[in-house]
Structure formats: C-alpha cells, structure tokens
Amino acid sequence: METAARTEPAAVIVGIDGPAGTGKSSTSKAVAAKLGLRYLDTGAQYRAITWWMLNNGIDVADPAAVASAADKPSIVSGTDPAAPAISVDGVDVSGPIRGQEVTSHVSAVSAVPEVRARITELQRAIAAAAERGIVVEGRDIGTTVLPHADLKVFLTASPEVRAARRNGELKGKEAVDLATTQAALARRDAADSGRTTAPLAKAEDAVEVDTSELTLEQVVECVVTLVEERQRDR
Ligand code: DC
C-alpha cells in the first residue's frame, strides 16, 4: 500500500543581534521555547573562551598569545532554551562566565580573528545540526555567522533602559550604580562595534525592534509573529 509522503517542515534559522541590555537573551530563549526550536547564546561562547584564557595564564591583552591558544579549549554549548548550558574542557562555566573579570576582558578576546574563526565554526555546526531550527543570539549572526538566516532581528534600546536592565540582572551580586553600568556598556559597545573582524552591526535585511518601551512579552510576541510570517511565506 502506498503511503502519502510526509514532508517535515524545513528547519527555521533565526538570528537575533544587538548590544547588551536590549533583551536579546530573554527574547531568544522565550521565542525558541514557544516555537519548539533550539537556542544558542554565542556571547556565552566568547565568554567561555575568555574564561579559559584567564584561567590558563594567557595574557588577554596580547592578541598574538590569544590567537595561538584559540584552538586549545574544548567548548560545548547546550541548546535547550529551558536550560542553556556551557562547558569548557568538561567544566560547567555557566556561573563564572558572568563575573566582572570575564565581562571586562571578553571584548578584547572576541576581537581576535582566530578566536572568531574558531567560535564561528562551532556556531555554524550547531545551527546545521538543529533539525527543527534554532534561535541564535549574538552580535554578528545576521551579518557573518548565518547570513542566510530565515529571519534576522536587530534589538536596540536606549542607554538608560539597557543600564537599568543590566543592573537588574546583577541582583545585588556585583551591582553598581546606573551611571557606572551605562559607562561600562558604552565602552563594550564601542569595542564590539569598532573591531575590524565581524563587528556588532545590523544586517541590511534585519528587522530592527526598539525594545525601550516594550515589555518582554511584547517583544517575544513580535518576533514569534515575524518567524511565523517567514515560515508561511516560504
Ligand atoms: O551577549 P554577551 O554580553 O554575553 O556577549 C559578551 C561579549 O561577547 C560581547 O561584548 C562581544 C562578544 N560577542 C561577539 O563578539 N560576537 C557575538 N556573536 C556574541 C558576543
């Protein structure tokens, strides 16, 4: 007996870029969970390689030293939006990569072309393995890592809103005043946007969403609708 051919929906690839404090992580995780997709936090990968450099005596201010060590750590990213995990050489580093030391050195490490080449290769392999699709968040996903993504979103927010959100995330752990957080974010933006290789940038065909006046639920709803539209139009 002949059976009707069943066509599985093609994997959908979503890239969400933007600077820190615009709601990228919360939005990306919620969109992936709602649509049954995998989730990848590429900032966590850059943080993980930075953590490894700092813990293995590499001078992170020396791009040549960073470049020659870029291939050494084994970085494994989990892609469950409900429990994103990241390990380096088998050690769970999800906690330590959020600390001040990593945060203040990650822009320098991630500007090194050999680091970007290594991490970009990991990202593309993870995206290719996601059967139903994936939401990938970062700075250069739409421009460099996945230029053929089905949907590219670029999130923005005012500097004041971004600093307030970032301070809220720190929850007293390492919290500082708003002006200090705002200045630190501005420094990281300048470094991430100003680097030569794959800087933070909006892809020409990305949809820009200013999240300053929106709740998380509204941003999630907006991105879910955009993904569904793209899926329908394919
Ligand atoms: O999203 P985050 O704050 O965890 O990212 C940490 C740093 O990693 C960010 O300041 C720049 C770098 N990064 C990058 O260069 N490219 C990406 N795709 C993601 C992050």
Side-chain angles (χ1 to χ4, degrees):
M1 196 178 73
E2 230 174 273
T3 49
R6 270 196 307 144
T7 46
E8 292 294 333
V12 62
I13 307 286
V14 180
I16 302 192
D17 290 304
T22 53
K24 273 194 322 283
S25 293
S26 312
T27 303
S28 303
K29 274 187 273 196
V31 169
K34 269 202 166 179
L35 296 172
L37 306 177
R38 308 311 294 177
Y39 159 73
L40 178 63
D41 175 357
T42 63
Q45 295 176 307
Y46 285 103
R47 287 172 179 273
I49 199 164
T50 302
W51 176 89
W52 184 90
M53 301 271 168
L54 291 167
N55 281 272
N56 283 273
I58 312 292
D59 178 3
V60 294
D62 175 1
V66 171
S68 61
D71 271 343
K72 293 191 177 148
S74 156
I75 299 168
V76 178
S77 302
T79 58
D80 177 353
I86 183 142
S87 67
V88 182
D89 294 345
V91 179
D92 174 2
V93 292
S94 355
I97 61 168
R98 303 289 161 194
Q100 248 350 301
E101 213 205 348
V102 169
T103 301
S104 58
H105 292 105
V106 64
S107 290
V109 171
S110 61
V112 175
E114 287 79 358
V115 168
R116 300 207 72 79
R118 167 90 204 285
I119 301 290
T120 298
E121 192 183 315
L122 287 178
Q123 292 161 355
R124 289 181 176 149
I126 292 168
E131 280 177 20
R132 294 194 56 192
I134 190 163
V135 180
V136 182
E137 63 146 302
R139 303 288 192 289
D140 60 339
I141 308 307
T143 54
T144 307
V145 179
L146 301 167
H148 303 298
D150 298 285
L151 173 67
K152 301 175 188 178
V153 177
F154 194 82
L155 297 183
T156 61
S158 71
E160 295 77 17
V161 166
R162 293 172 53 207
R165 285 182 186 155
R166 192 32 59 98
N167 265 16
E169 279 163 20
L170 295 174
K171 289 191 191 84
K173 268 187 291 179
E174 300 180 72
V176 285
D177 64 282
L178 268 190
T180 307
T181 303
Q182 202 173 313
L185 285 178
R187 268 198 306 278
R188 199 140 65 89
D189 282 357
D192 294 342
S193 310
R195 67 175 174 240
T196 313
T197 312
L200 161 66
K202 174 180 173 292
E204 260 179 32
D205 52 350
V207 180
E208 184 166 336
V209 180
D210 183 344
T211 69
S212 308
E213 306 284 329
L214 300 177
T215 64
L216 173 61
E217 289 69 28
Q218 289 171 322
V219 182
V220 172
E221 199 47 52
C222 166
V223 178
V224 165
T225 305
L226 288 168
V227 177
E228 288 171 343
E229 277 171 14
R230 295 293 157 102
Q231 283 177 307
R232 260 200 314 274
D233 295 346
R234 286 203 296 206

